[in-house]
Amino acid sequence: MRMRRPLKYLSIAFAGLLALLLLATLGLAQYARTGAFHARIETAASRGMGMEVKAGALGLGFLPTPHLTLHDVRVRNRGIDVASIGMVRVRFRLLPLFSRRAEPVTLDLKDLHLLIAKGEDGILDLVRSQPPAHKRAHGPMEVRVEDASVRYQDAKTGAWAEATGCEARAHDVRTEMPDGRPGLQRVSLTGDIACKQVHAPKFAGTDLKAGISAGGGVYAFEPVSLQAFGAEGRGSLHADVVQWRYTVDFTVPQLDVARFIKDMGLRQLGEGSVAFAANIAAQGKNRGEVVKSASGSLSLHGKELKLEGYDLDGELKRFEHSQRFSLVDMGALFYAGPLGLAATKGYDFSRIKGQGGGTSPIHVLLSDWKVEHGVATASDVAMSTDTHRMALQGKLDFNSERFDGVTVAVVDAQGCVIARQDISGSFTQPKLEKPDILAALTAPVRRLVNKGENLLSQRGCKAFYSGSVKPY
């Protein structure tokens, strides 16, 4: 009997404790439905983010762990709707709650729509209008995002990009104690992201995938893969948000020319595939600083391509008599390669059309550029057809957005100029000089170009082109 009595008291105490916990749970669940609780949660979320947070229905649960569910969440900052979230669920560690400390262990976001907007003043909407209220470090925590979309837009330039159908997983997410540094510099994590669609002006991609890691203010997206223009590109992106340094390394082994031209909204100009590669490093807090510091290399290599609706060799043969042919029309294919259409936004590509139609085989297309401080210099830019070689020299200055000494030329077997044309002025309003003929094109073109029997070469001219594209 003496042994049973303590057990009886213990069971009574345990039952009483369960009853108290049940009553507390019911009380908290009821309190969660009140306007006072709703206001406290919105206030706490707003203070924690340093932005205005509003939420719809709230729910509080305790099994299997304490968790809070918010529906129809809206985040507003600097007068802009930064984000909308269909559902937010936060699970908390149990023991810290007894000390009135909320320590999240998992964060689930569903139906997230995030807007990263840069205003006329150059400030992003995600920059907190008020400092966060929390004074502690957080983590580790798991973050899961489903059915998300992210959009970037610049009010000043009109630039935009959007990713939809995104999912993300972040593991071991930690934030260091606030110490005056921006939040991005105090976060560490590892994870991955995948998006079904990526859109920008004259660009559409699919199946974006990237591994993500962060620590010490350095974010690494590696490896990155993306399907675009009928090909898969792979590479990496590193961003140091302490020093504001960026490096991009990206390659597309087989870019479909026809698909690229079609997706850019241009008429069909060619067929075949090319290899694209970019390696760029830059530093700066705004577009001007980034462009001014950009350095690295860009290249576009292709073999056995076909130019549709244009008989280049035939046009060049008639060049001396017609005086209507523009070498820059063909040179546009060079600088529209590795630099996209950034330097040709003022150029009318519909001009690239011969008098009699036809096709032109381009046996080798090479477009290598060296970039230093925002200026791209042609390193080896040329192409060869059945009977001609064309080459380009000069610079594209992206700081002033102007052509700098750009010349397109037809060259003989020794690289000497047969005919040339210069282009100058701004990217938006390029100025094309009249073509200059330095040697007659009436001699057999095959002999002139391939056998090196041009009189200019015999007189010891200075070679305009000495790169790796040889006569066909």
Side-chain angles (χ1 to χ4, degrees):
M1 294 294 293
R2 292 179 179 178
M3 293 295 295
R4 293 180 180 178
R5 186 168 295 177
L7 292 175
K8 180 179 180 181
Y9 293 152
L10 182 61
S11 62
I12 292 174
F14 184 70
L17 180 61
L18 286 178
L20 288 173
L21 288 174
L22 179 60
L23 289 173
T25 300
L26 293 174
L28 287 172
Q30 185 66 30
Y31 177 57
R33 298 187 180 95
T34 66
F37 180 78
H38 192 285
R40 289 191 65 178
I41 292 299
E42 288 184 339
T43 300
S46 298
R47 292 179 62 194
M49 294 187 65
M51 304 178 186
E52 180 185 354
V53 179
K54 296 292 183 181
L58 305 182
L60 189 63
F62 298 91
L63 295 176
T65 58
H67 59 272
L68 176 67
T69 304
L70 299 83
H71 298 274
D72 192 23
V73 178
R74 297 287 188 272
V75 182
R76 190 173 177 82
N77 190 44
R78 300 181 183 276
I80 297 175
D81 292 326
V82 174
S84 66
I85 314 169
M87 188 203 75
V88 178
R89 176 166 292 163
V90 189
R91 296 188 181 274
F92 300 93
R93 292 179 174 83
L94 178 59
L95 293 180
L97 291 176
F98 290 103
S99 301
R100 303 183 67 179
R101 290 186 294 110
E103 292 189 4
V105 62
T106 64
L107 173 63
D108 292 288
L109 308 174
K110 293 185 179 180
D111 191 21
L112 165 67
H113 299 275
L114 178 64
L115 173 63
I116 305 174
K118 180 181 287 188
E120 294 284 352
D121 56 3
I123 299 177
L124 293 175
D125 61 352
L126 293 182
V127 176
R128 293 186 176 103
S129 54
Q130 298 178 357
H134 60 82
K135 302 297 181 182
R136 297 182 288 107
H138 291 284
M141 177 173 58
E142 298 286 313
V143 178
R144 298 183 289 259
V145 182
E146 296 181 14
D147 191 21
S149 66
V150 181
R151 181 180 176 87
Y152 168 83
Q153 62 186 39
D154 190 324
K156 191 173 183 178
T157 65
W160 64 271
E162 185 175 39
T164 59
C166 300
E167 295 186 354
R169 300 289 186 272
H171 317 290
D172 196 23
V173 180
R174 300 172 185 264
T175 60
E176 299 176 16
M177 183 179 297
D179 55 6
R181 291 177 298 162
L184 286 175
Q185 298 180 15
R186 296 184 287 104
V187 174
S188 63
L189 60 87
T190 59
D192 56 78
I193 184 172
C195 297
K196 294 180 180 179
Q197 302 285 337
V198 179
H199 295 278
K202 294 186 178 181
F203 176 84
T206 61
D207 299 323
L208 170 65
K209 297 178 181 179
I212 306 174
S213 63
V218 178
Y219 290 75
F221 298 83
E222 186 178 15
V224 177
S225 63
L226 175 67
Q227 294 282 343
F229 306 122
E232 181 183 54
R234 301 186 67 84
S236 64
L237 167 65
H238 292 253
D240 183 338
V241 297
V242 179
Q243 302 294 328
W244 298 104
R245 294 175 179 170
Y246 315 92
T247 58
V248 177
D249 189 356
F250 205 74
T251 60
V252 185
Q254 290 185 317
L255 177 64
D256 187 281
V257 173
R259 176 70 178 274
F260 174 80
I261 293 173
K262 178 183 177 182
D263 289 353
M264 293 300 292
L266 304 173
R267 70 175 182 83
Q268 181 62 39
L269 290 174
E271 295 180 358
S273 64
V274 295
F276 170 78
N279 188 298
I280 298 293
Q283 182 175 1
K285 293 185 178 181
N286 54 53
R287 179 182 179 276
E289 292 179 354
V290 170
V291 170
K292 188 175 181 180
S293 64
S295 299
S297 62
L298 295 153
S299 68
L300 189 77
H301 295 179
K303 290 185 177 181
E304 302 308 327
L305 308 176
K306 183 185 293 185
L307 181 64
E308 297 287 348
Y310 202 105
D311 182 2
L312 175 60
D313 287 331
E315 291 293 326
L316 286 171
K317 289 177 182 178
R318 292 189 293 269
F319 176 37
E320 184 179 87
H321 303 288
S322 67
Q323 296 289 299
R324 296 177 181 177
F325 184 70
S326 174
L327 298 177
V328 172
D329 285 347
M330 297 314 305
L333 294 178
F334 299 137
Y335 49 74
L339 300 176
L341 298 179
T344 56
K345 53 191 177 184
Y347 191 82
D348 181 10
F349 275 80
S350 65
R351 296 168 48 133
I352 306 178
K353 185 175 182 181
Q355 299 296 320
T359 61
S360 296
I362 300 176
H363 299 293
V364 177
L365 172 62
L366 189 63
S367 188
D368 287 344
W369 297 78
K370 183 179 181 181
V371 183
E372 290 183 322
H373 305 298
V375 179
T377 303
S379 298
D380 192 351
V381 182
M383 71 177 183
S384 66
T385 65
D386 280 343
T387 56
H388 295 86
R389 273 195 309 168
M390 294 184 65
L392 181 147
Q393 298 286 356
K395 300 178 180 181
L396 303 174
D397 189 339
F398 285 89
N399 297 298
S400 60
E401 296 193 342
R402 298 184 66 85
F403 296 96
D404 182 2
V406 175
T407 299
V408 181
V410 179
V411 298
D412 68 5
Q414 306 303 317
C416 295
V417 174
I418 297 172
R420 60 180 289 167
Q421 185 177 15
D422 298 330
I423 180 172
S424 59
S426 67
F427 292 166
T428 55
Q429 293 182 323
K431 180 181 179 181
L432 278 62
E433 303 294 339
K434 184 178 179 181
D436 187 10
I437 305 171
L438 277 71
L441 299 180
T442 55
V445 180
R446 174 73 66 178
R447 186 192 69 189
L448 181 68
V449 175
N450 289 355
K451 293 185 178 182
E453 295 182 4
N454 183 11
L455 294 177
L456 291 175
S457 299
Q458 296 174 5
R459 295 171 182 171
C461 78
K462 181 180 179 181
F464 175 85
Y465 177 73
S466 58
S468 58
V469 176
K470 305 303 179 184
Y472 178 68

